[in-house]
Amino acid sequence: MHIMEGFLPAGWAAFWVLVTLPFLVIGMRSINKMNAYNPRLKMLLGLVGAFVFVLSALKIPSVTGSSSHLTGVGLGAIMFGPTVMTILGTIVLIFQALLLAHGGLSTLGANAFAMAVAGPLVAYGVFKGVQKLGAPQWLSVFLGAGLGNLFTYIITSAQLALAFPAGQGGVVMSFTKFASVFAVTQIPLAVSEGLLTVLVLNLVSAYAKEELKQLQFNISSKEAKL
């Protein structure tokens, strides 16, 4: 979903920066509050950041101007909440733009809104919603991470459609074109991310049970297993 450097018109690039900025402020406050509560959680936060960096760097060429890949943001959103992932996801995007030429600085606002704001919000919302319905915890995690991944690409499709409306059919036709191209590769990737997140969270719960309790996230190994 990383829109490449220079692909968006300057007006749209600036628009997405302005839309993303308030979420970054909220995210920074959340991280400062968490560090004040328990500095030991930084290690777990670093693990989640590395998870996002590695998964989102494994790109598959997709529609012109973007790419398909796992995002990894669902894991952190479920553990820490969506606002913390706004900062982690944006930091990852900056490093990938500078070191890997994956995405770009001029498109950072759009990429950050899709992967570091919208994706985590959906992942967290679905996770909590499915939990309240009484589903097994592994299913809540799977659906949260998988749909968070898929929604990231829906937002990217909308961003590209708004910037490049079709000559006939306008934004709707352009969105249909971008979303249909993404769907071919993204649905199996979303399923993969859901399964991988369940497995990784199962491992984290085995080795960092106390930290998860402090995050008010309690998952038993029995519940987490597929």
Side-chain angles (χ1 to χ4, degrees):
M1 48 67 59
H2 293 12
I3 301 174
M4 69 181 185
E5 183 71 86
F7 192 74
L8 288 178
W12 280 110
F15 171 80
W16 289 113
V17 170
L18 293 175
V19 171
T20 304
L21 276 177
F23 293 98
L24 292 174
V25 174
I26 296 171
M28 187 58 71
R29 288 177 179 171
S30 296
I31 289 180
N32 289 336
K33 185 177 178 181
M34 186 192 71
N35 286 336
Y37 171 67
N38 186 349
R40 292 181 58 188
L41 292 174
K42 287 180 181 176
M43 188 174 293
L44 205 53
L45 198 61
L47 174 68
V48 169
F51 183 73
V52 175
F53 183 88
V54 171
L55 289 193
S56 60
L58 303 174
K59 60 180 179 179
I60 300 172
S62 185
V63 67
T64 302
S66 187
S67 60
S68 292
H69 51 78
L70 306 187
T71 67
V73 296
L75 176 68
I78 290 168
M79 289 169 57
F80 292 98
T83 56
V84 169
M85 291 311 297
T86 302
I87 300 298
L88 280 188
T90 302
I91 291 173
V92 165
L93 287 167
I94 291 172
F95 275 101
Q96 290 181 345
L98 293 174
L99 302 178
L100 306 178
H102 185 23
L105 294 180
S106 69
T107 55
L108 182 62
N111 290 334
F113 184 82
M115 194 180 92
V117 176
L121 282 172
V122 169
Y124 183 77
V126 171
F127 169 70
K128 287 295 185 181
V130 177
Q131 256 195 335
K132 288 183 179 178
L133 294 176
Q137 198 143 37
W138 69 264
L139 183 59
S140 306
V141 173
F142 170 75
L143 291 175
L147 291 176
N149 173 295
L150 197 58
F151 195 77
T152 297
Y153 283 84
I154 292 174
I155 292 295
T156 301
S157 298
Q159 290 171 327
L160 292 171
L162 286 168
F164 305 103
Q168 291 186 339
V171 173
V172 174
M173 180 59 70
S174 183
F175 174 79
T176 303
K177 182 189 74 174
F178 283 118
S180 61
V181 174
F182 274 136
V184 174
T185 53
Q186 203 53 37
I187 290 178
L189 290 179
V191 172
S192 300
E193 178 155 348
L195 293 172
L196 182 62
T197 303
V198 173
L199 294 174
V200 171
L201 196 50
N202 194 25
L203 289 173
V204 173
S205 67
Y207 293 99
K209 190 174 293 183
E210 287 305 315
E211 285 80 0
L212 289 179
K213 284 182 179 178
Q214 291 169 13
L215 292 170
Q216 299 182 333
F217 183 89
N218 189 13
I219 183 168
S220 71
S221 58
K222 182 179 178 181
E223 287 175 321
K225 288 177 180 175
L226 289 170

